[in-house]
Amino acid sequence: MRIGLIGFGGMGKTHAWAVENLKYYYAPLPFSAKITGVCTAHPETAAEACERYGLGRVYASQEEMIADPAIDVIDICTPNIFHYETLKKAILAGKHIYCEKPLCVSAEEAFEIAALAKASGRTCAVVFNTRFLLPVMRAKELADAGRLGRILSFRGAFLHSSAADPKKNAGWKQDREICGGGVLFDLGSHTIDLIQYLCGSFVEVTGWSQIAYPKRCGRDGREWSTNAEEAFYLTAKLTCGAVGTITVGKIMCGANDDHSFEIYGERGSLRFNLMQPNFLWFYDNTAPERERGYVKIECCGRYPAPGGVFPGVKAPIGWLRGHLASMYNFLDGVYREGEVSPSFDEAAHVQAVMEAAYLSDKSGQREVVRIK
């Protein structure tokens, strides 16, 4: 499988690392995959990436890359506002697609892209990489097996400190003109996807945005007016009847990559925090009363076959492992010529939840989540 990579910032480099290292973690790898071309907004960046990492040729434009019959897969790692046009071109060209989240910047765009992708018959996936950390995979097994019973409540959070210093220059992900939204798009999309994945679809939401520092330095060092939320607070109701909260923000000093969730059911509860990625906490409410308590389930490298052979089941894992497993999940789907999850359709529903939350923030009212 020959992959064309569009964008080579932090995520582009992460995706390239994942493709290169699949053969070590999933042995024997049933397919071969290689990045054979790179396209970026600045050709010199693409040239440096190709030279340093052996990533094939430099493409002058994404149109040239998408039109090349030598490219099987388009991997999109560009800012959010550019996703829609690139996705549409790649789908119409018959390419398989791996796209960074969020899928688009509006629910209308996202549902259109999801429908086009389904009609194309190609394998398309969005990058919700936290799904592929083993504690989250184990949580899904427990939930699907009925160990939690009826879900009653949940709490999700994704907290950073990257915007906690008002003297720090803003990045492009803090600029609504490029990101299409604020921290809800950047971090909230991940948390919404996890809750949807583990608990069920969203029905109604209320949202409240926060800009803690209206003025800071922009990317050019000049004074800049903050135009995207730095934190977002969301309350939601799910189809199963559960009610819970999601908090995301980049102004939480002391936080690093604090992505966590708690899920409370009639029969049991779960807890997870990305800062402790090797463990899942499970409370069995059906155990004898004097034996109840949270059990720390060691997950480490115990991935489902063929993913647990390297470096070993007892070896601790980190953030990159989720991206590696996410890439394998997608490319294995391309190899099998089948659909994969998280699909563009699932990503479109995440987009609809975020759009309803933004509407609620403006209206001050509870908003219904759009279905299609």
Side-chain angles (χ1 to χ4, degrees), residues 187-229:
L187 303 182
S189 55
H190 278 296
T191 308
I192 291 167
D193 175 70
L194 279 188
I195 296 301
Q196 184 169 271
Y197 178 58
L198 296 171
C199 303
S201 300
F202 287 70
V203 176
E204 296 177 320
V205 298
T206 56
W208 193 295
S209 66
Q210 179 184 19
I211 293 177
Y213 303 105
K215 297 286 185 180
R216 64 165 73 233
C217 290
R219 284 173 292 152
D220 60 2
R222 299 178 182 178
E223 186 178 83
W224 178 71
S225 296
T226 306
N227 63 8
E229 80 280 355

Short mmCIF file of all heavy atoms in Angstrom, two decimals, residues 187-229:
data_model
loop_
_atom_site.label_atom_id
_atom_site.label_comp_id
_atom_site.label_asym_id
_atom_site.label_seq_id
_atom_site.Cartn_x
_atom_site.Cartn_y
_atom_site.Cartn_z
N LEU A 187 -9.51 18.90 21.40
CA LEU A 187 -9.51 17.89 22.46
C LEU A 187 -10.88 17.25 22.66
O LEU A 187 -11.00 16.05 22.88
CB LEU A 187 -9.04 18.50 23.79
CG LEU A 187 -7.66 19.17 23.79
CD1 LEU A 187 -7.33 19.67 25.20
CD2 LEU A 187 -6.58 18.23 23.30
N GLY A 188 -11.92 18.07 22.56
CA GLY A 188 -13.26 17.58 22.84
C GLY A 188 -13.72 16.48 21.90
O GLY A 188 -14.45 15.58 22.30
N SER A 189 -13.28 16.55 20.65
CA SER A 189 -13.68 15.51 19.68
C SER A 189 -13.24 14.14 20.16
O SER A 189 -13.97 13.15 20.00
CB SER A 189 -13.10 15.82 18.31
OG SER A 189 -11.68 15.97 18.35
N HIS A 190 -12.05 14.04 20.75
CA HIS A 190 -11.56 12.76 21.27
C HIS A 190 -12.45 12.25 22.40
O HIS A 190 -12.81 11.07 22.43
CB HIS A 190 -10.13 12.92 21.81
CG HIS A 190 -9.07 12.85 20.76
ND1 HIS A 190 -8.84 11.72 20.01
CD2 HIS A 190 -8.17 13.77 20.35
CE1 HIS A 190 -7.83 11.94 19.18
NE2 HIS A 190 -7.41 13.18 19.36
N THR A 191 -12.78 13.12 23.34
CA THR A 191 -13.56 12.70 24.51
C THR A 191 -14.99 12.34 24.12
O THR A 191 -15.55 11.35 24.61
CB THR A 191 -13.56 13.81 25.58
OG1 THR A 191 -12.21 14.19 25.86
CG2 THR A 191 -14.21 13.32 26.86
N ILE A 192 -15.58 13.13 23.24
CA ILE A 192 -16.93 12.81 22.75
C ILE A 192 -16.93 11.45 22.07
O ILE A 192 -17.83 10.63 22.28
CB ILE A 192 -17.42 13.92 21.79
CG1 ILE A 192 -17.68 15.21 22.57
CG2 ILE A 192 -18.70 13.47 21.06
CD1 ILE A 192 -17.87 16.42 21.69
N ASP A 193 -15.90 11.18 21.26
CA ASP A 193 -15.83 9.89 20.58
C ASP A 193 -15.74 8.74 21.59
O ASP A 193 -16.40 7.72 21.42
CB ASP A 193 -14.63 9.84 19.64
CG ASP A 193 -14.46 8.46 19.02
OD1 ASP A 193 -15.30 8.07 18.18
OD2 ASP A 193 -13.51 7.74 19.40
N LEU A 194 -14.92 8.89 22.63
CA LEU A 194 -14.78 7.82 23.62
C LEU A 194 -16.09 7.54 24.34
O LEU A 194 -16.46 6.38 24.54
CB LEU A 194 -13.70 8.18 24.64
CG LEU A 194 -12.25 7.94 24.23
CD1 LEU A 194 -11.32 8.17 25.43
CD2 LEU A 194 -12.04 6.54 23.67
N ILE A 195 -16.79 8.59 24.74
CA ILE A 195 -18.06 8.39 25.43
C ILE A 195 -19.07 7.74 24.49
O ILE A 195 -19.80 6.82 24.87
CB ILE A 195 -18.61 9.73 25.98
CG1 ILE A 195 -17.65 10.30 27.05
CG2 ILE A 195 -20.00 9.55 26.56
CD1 ILE A 195 -17.41 9.40 28.24
N GLN A 196 -19.11 8.20 23.24
CA GLN A 196 -20.01 7.61 22.25
C GLN A 196 -19.66 6.14 22.01
O GLN A 196 -20.54 5.28 21.88
CB GLN A 196 -19.92 8.41 20.95
CG GLN A 196 -20.86 7.97 19.85
CD GLN A 196 -20.89 8.98 18.71
OE1 GLN A 196 -21.68 9.91 18.72
NE2 GLN A 196 -20.04 8.79 17.73
N TYR A 197 -18.37 5.85 21.94
CA TYR A 197 -17.88 4.49 21.69
C TYR A 197 -18.22 3.54 22.83
O TYR A 197 -18.64 2.40 22.61
CB TYR A 197 -16.37 4.57 21.51
CG TYR A 197 -15.64 3.28 21.27
CD1 TYR A 197 -15.95 2.45 20.19
CD2 TYR A 197 -14.59 2.91 22.10
CE1 TYR A 197 -15.25 1.28 19.96
CE2 TYR A 197 -13.87 1.74 21.87
CZ TYR A 197 -14.20 0.93 20.80
OH TYR A 197 -13.50 -0.23 20.58
N LEU A 198 -18.09 4.01 24.07
CA LEU A 198 -18.26 3.15 25.23
C LEU A 198 -19.68 3.14 25.79
O LEU A 198 -20.10 2.15 26.39
CB LEU A 198 -17.29 3.58 26.34
CG LEU A 198 -15.80 3.43 26.02
CD1 LEU A 198 -14.96 4.11 27.11
CD2 LEU A 198 -15.41 1.97 25.88
N CYS A 199 -20.42 4.24 25.59
CA CYS A 199 -21.72 4.37 26.25
C CYS A 199 -22.91 4.50 25.31
O CYS A 199 -24.03 4.15 25.69
CB CYS A 199 -21.71 5.60 27.17
SG CYS A 199 -20.42 5.59 28.43
N GLY A 200 -22.71 5.02 24.12
CA GLY A 200 -23.83 5.19 23.20
C GLY A 200 -23.93 6.61 22.68
O GLY A 200 -23.21 7.52 23.09
N SER A 201 -24.87 6.82 21.76
CA SER A 201 -25.01 8.08 21.04
C SER A 201 -25.55 9.20 21.93
O SER A 201 -26.30 8.97 22.88
CB SER A 201 -25.94 7.90 19.85
OG SER A 201 -25.43 6.94 18.95
N PHE A 202 -25.20 10.43 21.56
CA PHE A 202 -25.66 11.63 22.24
C PHE A 202 -27.03 12.04 21.69
O PHE A 202 -27.28 11.95 20.49
CB PHE A 202 -24.67 12.78 22.03
CG PHE A 202 -23.39 12.64 22.80
CD1 PHE A 202 -22.45 11.66 22.45
CD2 PHE A 202 -23.10 13.47 23.86
CE1 PHE A 202 -21.26 11.53 23.14
CE2 PHE A 202 -21.91 13.35 24.57
CZ PHE A 202 -20.99 12.37 24.21
N VAL A 203 -27.89 12.52 22.59
CA VAL A 203 -29.23 12.97 22.20
C VAL A 203 -29.35 14.48 22.34
O VAL A 203 -29.77 15.18 21.42
CB VAL A 203 -30.31 12.29 23.06
CG1 VAL A 203 -31.69 12.83 22.71
CG2 VAL A 203 -30.28 10.78 22.87
N GLU A 204 -28.98 15.00 23.51
CA GLU A 204 -29.09 16.43 23.79
C GLU A 204 -27.83 16.90 24.51
O GLU A 204 -27.22 16.14 25.26
CB GLU A 204 -30.30 16.74 24.67
CG GLU A 204 -31.64 16.42 24.03
CD GLU A 204 -32.80 16.69 24.99
OE1 GLU A 204 -32.66 16.39 26.19
OE2 GLU A 204 -33.82 17.21 24.52
N VAL A 205 -27.48 18.17 24.29
CA VAL A 205 -26.30 18.73 24.96
C VAL A 205 -26.57 20.17 25.36
O VAL A 205 -27.38 20.88 24.75
CB VAL A 205 -25.04 18.68 24.07
CG1 VAL A 205 -24.67 17.26 23.71
CG2 VAL A 205 -25.22 19.52 22.82
N THR A 206 -25.86 20.59 26.39
CA THR A 206 -25.73 22.01 26.71
C THR A 206 -24.25 22.32 26.76
O THR A 206 -23.44 21.46 27.16
CB THR A 206 -26.37 22.38 28.06
OG1 THR A 206 -25.79 21.57 29.10
CG2 THR A 206 -27.87 22.15 28.03
N GLY A 207 -23.87 23.52 26.34
CA GLY A 207 -22.45 23.85 26.28
C GLY A 207 -22.15 25.24 26.80
O GLY A 207 -22.99 26.15 26.72
N TRP A 208 -20.95 25.39 27.32
CA TRP A 208 -20.50 26.68 27.83
C TRP A 208 -19.02 26.82 27.49
O TRP A 208 -18.20 26.02 27.91
CB TRP A 208 -20.70 26.75 29.35
CG TRP A 208 -20.57 28.14 29.93
CD1 TRP A 208 -19.45 28.90 29.95
CD2 TRP A 208 -21.60 28.91 30.54
NE1 TRP A 208 -19.69 30.11 30.54
CE2 TRP A 208 -21.01 30.14 30.92
CE3 TRP A 208 -22.94 28.67 30.81
CZ2 TRP A 208 -21.74 31.14 31.56
CZ3 TRP A 208 -23.65 29.67 31.45
CH2 TRP A 208 -23.06 30.90 31.82
N SER A 209 -18.69 27.86 26.73
CA SER A 209 -17.30 28.09 26.34
C SER A 209 -16.64 29.10 27.27
O SER A 209 -17.31 29.88 27.96
CB SER A 209 -17.22 28.60 24.89
OG SER A 209 -17.80 29.88 24.78
N GLN A 210 -15.31 29.10 27.28
CA GLN A 210 -14.56 30.03 28.13
C GLN A 210 -13.31 30.49 27.41
O GLN A 210 -12.55 29.68 26.87
CB GLN A 210 -14.17 29.34 29.44
CG GLN A 210 -13.37 30.24 30.39
CD GLN A 210 -12.90 29.50 31.63
OE1 GLN A 210 -12.85 28.27 31.65
NE2 GLN A 210 -12.55 30.24 32.67
N ILE A 211 -13.12 31.80 27.40
CA ILE A 211 -11.84 32.40 26.98
C ILE A 211 -11.28 33.09 28.20
O ILE A 211 -11.81 34.10 28.67
CB ILE A 211 -12.03 33.39 25.82
CG1 ILE A 211 -12.47 32.65 24.55
CG2 ILE A 211 -10.74 34.16 25.57
CD1 ILE A 211 -12.75 33.57 23.37
N ALA A 212 -10.22 32.54 28.73
CA ALA A 212 -9.62 33.08 29.96
C ALA A 212 -8.75 34.30 29.67
O ALA A 212 -8.65 35.21 30.50
CB ALA A 212 -8.81 32.01 30.67
N TYR A 213 -8.12 34.31 28.49
CA TYR A 213 -7.18 35.37 28.14
C TYR A 213 -7.58 35.97 26.79
O TYR A 213 -7.13 35.50 25.74
CB TYR A 213 -5.75 34.83 28.09
CG TYR A 213 -5.33 34.18 29.39
CD1 TYR A 213 -5.24 32.80 29.51
CD2 TYR A 213 -5.04 34.96 30.51
CE1 TYR A 213 -4.87 32.20 30.70
CE2 TYR A 213 -4.68 34.37 31.72
CZ TYR A 213 -4.60 32.99 31.81
OH TYR A 213 -4.24 32.41 32.99
N PRO A 214 -8.44 37.00 26.80
CA PRO A 214 -8.92 37.60 25.54
C PRO A 214 -7.81 38.20 24.68
O PRO A 214 -7.95 38.29 23.47
CB PRO A 214 -9.89 38.68 26.02
CG PRO A 214 -10.29 38.27 27.41
CD PRO A 214 -9.08 37.61 27.97
N LYS A 215 -6.72 38.60 25.31
CA LYS A 215 -5.59 39.18 24.59
C LYS A 215 -4.33 38.38 24.89
O LYS A 215 -4.03 38.08 26.05
CB LYS A 215 -5.37 40.64 24.97
CG LYS A 215 -6.52 41.58 24.63
CD LYS A 215 -6.59 41.85 23.14
CE LYS A 215 -7.66 42.89 22.82
NZ LYS A 215 -7.76 43.18 21.38
N ARG A 216 -3.60 38.03 23.86
CA ARG A 216 -2.29 37.40 24.01
C ARG A 216 -1.53 37.65 22.71
O ARG A 216 -2.07 38.22 21.76
CB ARG A 216 -2.40 35.92 24.32
CG ARG A 216 -3.04 35.06 23.25
CD ARG A 216 -2.77 33.59 23.51
NE ARG A 216 -3.54 33.05 24.62
CZ ARG A 216 -3.00 32.40 25.65
NH1 ARG A 216 -1.69 32.24 25.71
NH2 ARG A 216 -3.75 31.91 26.62
N CYS A 217 -0.31 37.18 22.64
CA CYS A 217 0.47 37.33 21.43
C CYS A 217 0.05 36.28 20.41
O CYS A 217 -0.17 35.12 20.77
CB CYS A 217 1.96 37.20 21.72
SG CYS A 217 2.64 38.59 22.63
N GLY A 218 -0.06 36.69 19.16
CA GLY A 218 -0.37 35.75 18.10
C GLY A 218 0.87 35.02 17.65
O GLY A 218 1.96 35.15 18.23
N ARG A 219 0.73 34.27 16.56
CA ARG A 219 1.87 33.48 16.07
C ARG A 219 3.01 34.36 15.58
O ARG A 219 4.16 33.94 15.56
CB ARG A 219 1.39 32.54 14.97
CG ARG A 219 0.62 31.33 15.50
CD ARG A 219 0.01 30.52 14.38
NE ARG A 219 -1.05 31.25 13.71
CZ ARG A 219 -1.40 31.09 12.46
NH1 ARG A 219 -0.74 30.24 11.70
NH2 ARG A 219 -2.41 31.78 11.94
N ASP A 220 2.69 35.61 15.19
CA ASP A 220 3.73 36.52 14.72
C ASP A 220 4.33 37.36 15.84
O ASP A 220 5.19 38.22 15.60
CB ASP A 220 3.17 37.45 13.64
CG ASP A 220 1.99 38.29 14.13
OD1 ASP A 220 1.64 38.19 15.33
OD2 ASP A 220 1.43 39.04 13.32
N GLY A 221 3.89 37.13 17.08
CA GLY A 221 4.43 37.86 18.22
C GLY A 221 3.71 39.16 18.53
O GLY A 221 3.97 39.78 19.56
N ARG A 222 2.80 39.59 17.66
CA ARG A 222 2.04 40.81 17.90
C ARG A 222 0.80 40.51 18.73
O ARG A 222 0.34 39.40 18.79
CB ARG A 222 1.63 41.44 16.56
CG ARG A 222 2.81 41.84 15.68
CD ARG A 222 2.31 42.40 14.37
NE ARG A 222 3.43 42.75 13.48
CZ ARG A 222 3.29 43.23 12.25
NH1 ARG A 222 2.06 43.39 11.74
NH2 ARG A 222 4.35 43.51 11.52
N GLU A 223 0.26 41.58 19.36
CA GLU A 223 -0.94 41.40 20.17
C GLU A 223 -2.08 40.87 19.30
O GLU A 223 -2.28 41.30 18.17
CB GLU A 223 -1.36 42.72 20.82
CG GLU A 223 -2.54 42.54 21.79
CD GLU A 223 -2.94 43.83 22.48
OE1 GLU A 223 -3.70 44.60 21.87
OE2 GLU A 223 -2.50 44.04 23.61
N TRP A 224 -2.81 39.92 19.86
CA TRP A 224 -3.83 39.21 19.10
C TRP A 224 -5.05 38.98 19.98
O TRP A 224 -4.93 38.72 21.19
CB TRP A 224 -3.24 37.86 18.64
CG TRP A 224 -4.15 36.96 17.87
CD1 TRP A 224 -4.60 37.14 16.60
CD2 TRP A 224 -4.70 35.72 18.32
NE1 TRP A 224 -5.40 36.08 16.22
CE2 TRP A 224 -5.48 35.19 17.25
CE3 TRP A 224 -4.61 34.98 19.50
CZ2 TRP A 224 -6.16 33.98 17.35
CZ3 TRP A 224 -5.28 33.79 19.60
CH2 TRP A 224 -6.05 33.29 18.54
N SER A 225 -6.23 39.12 19.40
CA SER A 225 -7.47 38.88 20.14
C SER A 225 -7.85 37.41 20.01
O SER A 225 -8.05 36.92 18.89
CB SER A 225 -8.61 39.76 19.60
OG SER A 225 -8.32 41.12 19.81
N THR A 226 -7.96 36.71 21.11
CA THR A 226 -8.30 35.28 21.11
C THR A 226 -9.67 35.08 20.49
O THR A 226 -10.65 35.67 20.94
CB THR A 226 -8.28 34.72 22.54
OG1 THR A 226 -7.02 35.00 23.14
CG2 THR A 226 -8.51 33.21 22.54
N ASN A 227 -9.75 34.25 19.45
CA ASN A 227 -11.02 34.09 18.73
C ASN A 227 -11.60 32.68 18.83
O ASN A 227 -12.58 32.37 18.15
CB ASN A 227 -10.86 34.49 17.27
CG ASN A 227 -9.88 33.60 16.52
OD1 ASN A 227 -9.41 32.59 17.05
ND2 ASN A 227 -9.55 33.98 15.30
N ALA A 228 -10.99 31.84 19.66
CA ALA A 228 -11.51 30.48 19.86
C ALA A 228 -11.44 30.13 21.33
O ALA A 228 -10.51 30.55 22.05
CB ALA A 228 -10.70 29.47 19.03
N GLU A 229 -12.41 29.35 21.78
CA GLU A 229 -12.48 29.03 23.21
C GLU A 229 -11.24 28.27 23.69
O GLU A 229 -10.71 27.43 22.98
CB GLU A 229 -13.75 28.25 23.55
CG GLU A 229 -13.73 26.76 23.23
CD GLU A 229 -13.98 26.42 21.78
OE1 GLU A 229 -14.26 27.34 20.99
OE2 GLU A 229 -13.88 25.23 21.44
#
